[in-house]
Amino acid sequence: MSHCALSGYIEVLPQALKEALKRQPNGAFLVRGMGPLAVHGQARIGRLLFAHGAGAGQQSPFMRQFVTSLADRGVQVLCIDFPYMQKIQETGKRRPPPPIAQTLDQFAQWYALLADLFDEPLWIGGKSMGGRVATLFASKQLANQHSISEQPCSKPVPGVVVAGYPFHPVKASDKLRLEHWPAIACPMLVLQGERDPFGTREEVAGYTLPENAQLAWLKDGDHDFKPRRLSGLTQTVLIDEATQVAASFVRAHGSVHAEVGNVLV
C-alpha cells in the first residue's frame, strides 16, 4: 500500500477533483497521474497553492505549522508534493530535486488543474525552492497567457507569497536568483528570516528589487524562521507573525483588479 493510501488520501481522477472537493472541502486527495493534494481551511479572504522546499515535503514540521496558522487566518491553502518528494516518501531514501525547469513544469500542471476549479483567484507560493518555482511561474504570465506545460492556464496569477526565498545558494552569495523578478507583474510578498543563509537582511539590502515585491523580516530567524534562544523569541511566534503578515497581504490585494496582459484578475 502506498504512503498516501496509508496516510488517508482519497484517490481521485483529475476530472473528478471538483466534485470531490465539494464533498470534502478540507480533504486529502491522491490525484491520479499527479500526486497528493491536501486542502486546509476555508477561503474567507483568499486561496493559495503552496509548494514545499527542496528537502522536505508538505508534512514537514515547518509546513504543517505554517499552513495551519495561515488557514486559521482565513487563507485556504492547497499543498502538493512534487514527484521526487513522493519517491523519497515511498522509499525512505533522500534524493536531490530534479532540474528546476522540470519542477516548474509540474507546478504549472497543478496550477492549470486547480485554478479552474474555483471562481475566486488562486494565489501561488511556497517554502524556499517551492517559492522560487512559484516566482518563476509568475514571471511567465506577461510573456505567455498559457502555462509552460501543454495544459492551458486560463487564469493569470493574482499574487505570490514566499516563505524563505533562496536569493542565492548557501556560501555562494554572488549567484543571485533574481533575474526573473522584474517580469513578475503581480503583488509578491517574501517572508524572510533576518539570518537566513540563503539571503540575510544585510545582503538583501544591497539588491535592487521591483516595486511590487514586499519583504517582511522576521527578527533573528533562520531559513525555517528559527531564532536563537537569546533573542527571547520562538519559531512558533515567528511563524505566526509571518502568517499574520501573509493573510493581511492577501486581504489587501485580493479585491484589486490588476491587469495582466489583456486579462483582468
Side-chain angles (χ1 to χ4, degrees):
M1 186 174 292
S2 71
H3 165 79
C4 288
L6 289 170
S7 301
Y9 283 72
I10 301 169
E11 188 168 358
V12 61
L13 292 170
Q15 59 268 32
L17 182 57
K18 187 170 186 176
E19 288 302 317
L21 284 169
K22 289 180 180 179
R23 294 192 301 270
Q24 197 167 348
N26 282 172
F29 307 95
L30 181 60
V31 184
R32 190 174 299 177
M34 300 187 71
L37 168 71
V39 184
H40 305 265
Q42 296 180 346
R44 297 194 303 273
I45 63 173
R47 181 175 282 112
L48 172 69
L49 169 60
F50 200 73
H52 59 76
Q58 61 173 286
Q59 295 299 326
S60 71
F62 176 92
M63 286 285 288
R64 289 201 305 268
Q65 184 176 344
F66 185 89
V67 167
T68 299
S69 181
L70 192 54
D72 287 344
R73 299 184 187 281
V75 178
Q76 186 180 70
V77 188
L78 292 79
C79 292
I80 59 174
D81 282 328
F82 293 117
Y84 84 93
M85 185 56 63
Q86 297 172 44
K87 291 182 180 178
I88 290 176
Q89 293 165 348
E90 294 289 346
T91 64
K93 297 180 180 178
R94 295 187 63 82
R95 63 179 65 203
I100 197 73
Q102 182 176 332
T103 307
L104 177 56
D105 184 68
Q106 293 157 356
F107 186 88
Q109 292 177 47
W110 273 112
Y111 189 84
L113 172 66
L114 298 174
D116 284 338
L117 298 183
F118 310 103
D119 294 331
E120 304 86 359
L122 178 62
W123 283 59
I124 62 173
K127 170 73 169 78
S128 192
M129 179 203 73
R132 182 187 176 199
V133 170
T135 61
L136 285 164
F137 180 70
S139 74
K140 307 291 183 181
Q141 298 297 294
L142 280 178
N144 189 353
Q145 289 298 320
H146 295 276
S147 163
I148 59 169
S149 72
E150 295 181 355
Q151 289 182 280
C153 179
S154 60
K155 295 183 180 179
V157 172
V160 184
V161 175
V162 179
Y165 187 78
F167 286 94
H168 56 72
V170 175
K171 299 181 180 179
S173 58
D174 58 320
K175 298 179 180 179
L176 294 183
R177 294 162 171 159
L178 292 172
E179 63 278 358
H180 62 287
W181 276 34
I184 300 174
C186 61
M188 177 168 55
L189 172 67
V190 176
L191 307 157
Q192 196 84 353
E194 289 183 336
R195 297 185 299 111
D196 193 326
F198 291 90
T200 66
R201 186 164 190 165
E202 290 76 14
E203 289 172 334
V204 177
Y207 303 158
T208 300
L209 304 178
E211 292 184 0
N212 59 311
Q214 177 177 320
L215 270 73
W217 292 102
L218 302 167
K219 185 176 180 181
D220 204 56
D222 65 6
H223 194 53
D224 289 329
F225 303 168
K226 290 181 181 178
R228 291 168 292 193
R229 184 176 300 177
L230 291 176
S231 70
L233 301 168
T234 66
Q235 184 187 36
T236 297
V237 167
L238 293 189
I239 289 177
D240 285 347
E241 178 183 328
T243 59
Q244 182 176 5
V245 173
S248 296
F249 190 80
V250 172
R251 183 188 297 110
H253 295 280
S255 61
V256 176
H257 287 73
E259 187 172 348
V260 182
N262 294 320
V263 180
L264 288 178
V265 182

